[in-house]
Amino acid sequence: MVKLSSNSFRFFRQFRHRVLRILHPATAANVQHLNYSQSAAPGEIKLGASSCTSGVRRRDLMSEITSSRRRCKTLESLQDEYLLVAYMEVYLSQGLVQHAEALFNKYRRQGHQFHSDVCTKMLMGFAEQGNNLKTSILYRNLMQEGIRPSPSLYAALLHLCSKTHDAKYALEIVREMKQNGISINDIFYKTNLNEKQASSIKMILTVCFGQSVEEELKPLSEPEPVYPRVIQSLYSSSNENYCLSHKKTAITELLGDAGLQERFQEQLQVEKEGVLNVQSIQKGNDDTVSEINLNDAISDWRRTLTVAMETEIEEYSRILDIIESDLISSRFIPKHYPTLPIMSAEDWANILVEDLALEIIEQPDGLPVKYLCGRIKKRTWAKFVKNQKYADGIVQKITDMYEQYTSFLTSPDYTSKSARQYWNELCRESVLKGSMKLNITHWPFFMGFYIGGILLDILLKGATITEMGSNRVQAFYHYYQFENNKKIGFIKAHPLLHKYWRSMPGDKLPSFKMEADIIPMVVPPRPWVSVTDGGYLLTPVSIVRCQEDTFQHQLMMEQVENLHAIYDALDYVSSIPWMVNSKILELVLTVFNENGNEDLMIPKGTMPPLPEIPKNAAPEEKTQILRQRKEMRKAKHEMHALRMDMLYKLSLAKHFEDRVFWLPHNMDFRGRSYPLPPHITHLSSDVGRALLQFAEGYPLGKRGLQWLKIHLVNLHGGKKKAPMREREEYVEELLPLILDSADKPFDGQRWWQLADSPWQTLACCIDLASAVRSGDPEGYVSHIPIHQDGSCNGLQHYAALGRDKLGGFQVNLTPSEKPEDLYTAVAMMVDERRKQDAAEGNVHAQVLEGKVIRKVVKQTVMTTVYGVTLYGGRLQIQKQLEDNIPKEHLFHCSKYLVQLVFQTLSHMFSNARDIQEWLIGCSRQISMAGHPTEWVTPLGMPVVQPYHRKSKLKAGTTPLQQTSIQSSTDLSRPPDLTKQKNAFPPNFIHSLDSTHMMLTALHCQRVGITFVSVHDCYWTHACMVDKMNKICREQFVALHKEPILEDLAEYLDKMFGGLEYVDRLSKKKEQKQCNFNTGMPNKGDLDLDQVLESTYFFS
């Protein structure tokens, strides 16, 4: 049992705190329910699977860290507490236990109850010093507060015994451990000991037992988890497809066994340094004469800033010496000082010069201080974590384990172990050398603001340039500008610096410093084995990507023991090797360095000059020119941002040209997967997608050749809605134009440039031309990814949930001879209604004669499933109509038309609309009862919506500037009713489409099919499309044959059913109770098995 203080327990019972129950009732067997039991002693929580009533609420899984613990006023929010704990951890890492103790005791005296993990860190800090007295006092205090002894607490005591060579006390601890049901296994397997601590405990236990600890340890295998219903058969040992194929060609034939080890060392070095040097591909004028030599300036800045940082570090040491002499209190230590020893003065100077200064120079208007502080925090945090990994022996363990792991990956044999299972096995085998896990608190924003403000101030004072021959001036300036009535601080470079950067060729400019967590890996990523352990080798990343200072998603997922299916799905899409398409890269570089081409989505490098205002201009003319200048300036800034993004993308692609690389993935809080590198990724624009191809190639075969042709038509868009056979025939008719595009992209007829996705179309033209000319098209080895896109996938899920027959037909859930086009169907039905209204004299309907076409309604129809409102839909339609109807009619016509669109969709998807309204109603009740909406996906992933009312302004001050921030994700604030209810339907549907993607990925892995996705667009090799399509349909049907809505209602009822709330949206402000079982949407008679035969479901 986990104990809380009696006060906390009564506080919890009095306000009946919400429950964040992680698992679906259907999948509850794979983790124990956590609930309050009336039979428990005061302050205790029993673990069990008993149901909860409305009178006794099951306990919030995050309340141990948030609301269930006593909190002092200064640490009300999780962000405030994390900031304090981060400082404590930094002190402990430097061996300054007394300063961490000062912070710890200060807030304990104010009544704050820290999480047991924080207490354990302090206990281990005292033990590390061999301080018997303080260790004993803290341990006794923790016991008095009702904290139950844990393996981590006993590990700290044993470490103390080893430091003090007290074998007698160690034996007493071992006896007490046994009385509390804690074994020697638990000390090593259930704690986060570093290498030195593990060795120390191993030594004292050897003295106690008179024999090796290995003989006391029992072999520990991974417990057999109980998987969610929808995935149980896949993981069943009786499943003949359970074996996982690790194809030798994927790695060994691409790199060679020795090559993989060399690449591991390369990847390790990049992550150790934290950045990768990438040469710019920008072309400039070699004859440009500049007043500034940027490379010389950078060298000068580096020297000056290194001296300045050495002074800061020395000042920190001086203050520590004064504190040691008891002349001042540790509270006088400036807030940025504790982080200074994380890096050397040279490393700090390099961050300032090579990372921040160069990025500021690239931007004509500079960069916000908040953004720059975030960059500094990210780099400092990553360096701190890596330092800890080196100090704790984790890096050496990764090095040793990865060699075995690569042997496992390159084995041509079939194996019954996944990458995750094998990595966990390696971790267990080396447990006596310490844990692979590093329990470090993520740094909140202000941790970076304090150090960032000081560093930027040093940059402003230390970096200078020579102007007008001999005059030394500041290289960077700090200024403010107003955005949305907010005063925002910016750092801007001297205009001469930006002018130099724009004019110089890339080979004369300093290289880009790309951070390690935004670049591809040159070795297969580490498998995900926990919420914070996976992906890159050393670089810290979380499995859930979220906004700054949003911690609830990670906290929830850490409470779930079985996310194995989710880990395995992410591991598989991360394991696919990629290469840059060199032919496309060469062509894109040509266009980019010739000032770009907006029609081909390559941003221009220069813009027309701003118009001058004539001296004798009339007031109206002057106003018009000023407005034009403002619009042009805005367009220029937007174009520059796009140009810079493309420059990064192409420079990185050039760097990885002719190399195999991997894209590690994580996911958002709804489960949708994303590659961690943002520049080279298949989740990109048309240009970014065209630059990528699979590193592995496979012969097309007969069906693969057909799919390559169909894919070309889909990308071009001309016959995308035609039957499959017509698309193939269309390619045969246009073969001369296709070959011409492949041979003469810029000098021929340029058919590819008319496509919806021109660059991907060109890549496909080149591949098809090579296949046709190979002499054996079916034997041609193709690397091009073939896409299969869901047909209005959000509405597909709605139609399947409601068994909506008419809606299912419109989104291709049922077989048909040609693909149904929902957008065209809606446009036709809306236009029929408009004609009737026009005949009855409706002026707006008459103005819209001939204007209601597919393009006008498409965006509104597409976003309806994602919660677009009438207001938002009107703006979308207004944008499409603004060039086609008079301005005086624009507002009323768009308002009239959006109402018709919504009415038409409600008729076509009646059940879907009912489901959407029911979901909104559920979220509305939960939010009014004071809780954010939460649910669990069919794969067991917990989801909580992070939308809260904005917190109070929190201010921080540095010599550079003061800043104030508000958080909309603070757990201590009430939920935002409007955002919660409006976001629930689209977020719930997104969690279903992510589940479908993961199910498809897992089944593709079992049969050795290449698989990656762009949300609801699935990619594979041409020869594998048919198999993937079969799996995709089977898993959609399997998913929706689960009682998804019924399980959701049951889950919400157990979590929130019976909670009282005041209906603030009703006129009478009635007192009500949450009830989710009434008003459940009715279902239609759609036969889900028809999806299995639908050609155009995904196509």
Side-chain angles (χ1 to χ4, degrees), residues 82 377-378 381-382 385 389 438 440-443 517 526-558 563 566-567 570-571 574 664-669 671-677 941:
Y82 274 27
K377 185 203 82 171
K378 182 180 175 184
W381 151 255
V385 172
K389 286 184 176 181
L438 194 63
I440 294 182
T441 303
H442 192 82
W443 289 1
D517 65 342
R526 281 197 303 128
W528 285 103
V529 294
S530 74
V531 178
T532 56
D533 190 8
Y536 291 99
L537 301 179
L538 301 181
T539 307
V541 290
S542 173
I543 199 169
V544 183
R545 54 174 63 200
C546 49
Q547 297 177 6
E548 181 84 46
D549 288 4
T550 304
F551 309 112
Q552 48 263 58
H553 311 301
Q554 181 172 318
L555 293 176
M556 285 185 69
M557 294 186 71
E558 285 175 347
L563 293 172
I566 292 169
Y567 295 157
L570 291 176
D571 290 342
S574 302
H665 284 61
N666 65 355
M667 58 187 177
D668 65 16
F669 73 93
R672 296 189 119 193
S673 68
Y674 296 82
L676 285 163
M941 176 183 166

Side-chain angles (χ1 to χ4, degrees), residues 11 90 112 164 180 203 230 257 270 311 401 409-411 455 488-489 678 689 755 763 769 785 857 951 1005 1027 1038 1054:
F11 181 79
V90 169
H112 190 78
T164 58
N180 287 295
M203 182 181 67
V230 73
D257 293 325
V270 168
T311 302
M401 290 165 56
L409 290 179
T410 56
S411 170
L455 293 179
I488 310 296
R689 295 183 185 189
V857 304
S951 63
Q1005 181 188 28
K1027 290 181 180 179
K1054 287 185 177 180

Side-chain angles (χ1 to χ4, degrees), residues 281-431:
I281 53 85
Q282 173 177 292
K283 282 190 177 180
N285 185 357
D286 290 318
D287 299 327
T288 301
V289 178
S290 174
E291 299 177 36
I292 301 172
N293 186 315
L294 186 56
N295 290 305
D296 289 346
I298 286 175
S299 298
D300 184 47
W301 298 343
R302 188 180 287 109
R303 285 191 298 271
T304 304
L305 297 177
T306 298
V307 172
M309 292 308 303
E310 285 173 348
T311 302
E312 287 290 313
I313 294 173
E314 288 170 2
E315 179 66 12
Y316 176 46
S317 299
R318 188 182 69 83
I319 290 178
L320 290 180
D321 291 338
I322 296 174
I323 293 173
E324 289 292 332
S325 304
D326 294 327
L327 296 178
I328 62 172
S329 168
S330 61
R331 72 175 185 270
F332 291 105
I333 298 177
K335 291 182 177 179
H336 71 281
Y337 273 1
T339 54
L340 289 178
I342 291 174
M343 282 183 266
S344 66
E346 292 82 359
D347 289 338
W348 285 120
N350 285 335
I351 287 178
L352 283 172
V353 174
E354 298 177 354
D355 288 11
L356 302 185
L358 292 178
E359 189 170 1
I360 295 169
I361 291 171
E362 294 164 6
Q363 307 298 327
D365 295 317
L367 290 167
V369 169
K370 182 179 178 181
Y371 166 80
L372 294 170
C373 288
R375 286 287 308 277
I376 292 172
K377 185 203 82 171
K378 182 180 175 184
R379 285 292 307 276
T380 311
W381 151 255
K383 181 67 174 176
F384 176 62
V385 172
K386 291 169 191 174
N387 288 348
Q388 289 302 105
K389 286 184 176 181
Y390 273 97
D392 291 356
I394 294 176
V395 174
Q396 186 58 50
K397 287 182 67 175
I398 290 176
T399 304
D400 297 338
M401 290 165 56
Y402 203 85
E403 185 173 353
Q404 299 178 61
Y405 180 63
T406 53
S407 298
F408 166 78
L409 290 179
T410 56
S411 170
D413 301 325
Y414 285 86
T415 174
S416 59
K417 296 175 185 175
S418 67
R420 168 188 54 81
Q421 289 170 323
Y422 187 74
W423 187 265
N424 273 332
E425 195 175 280
L426 293 175
C427 291
R428 288 193 296 273
E429 289 174 358
S430 60
V431 71

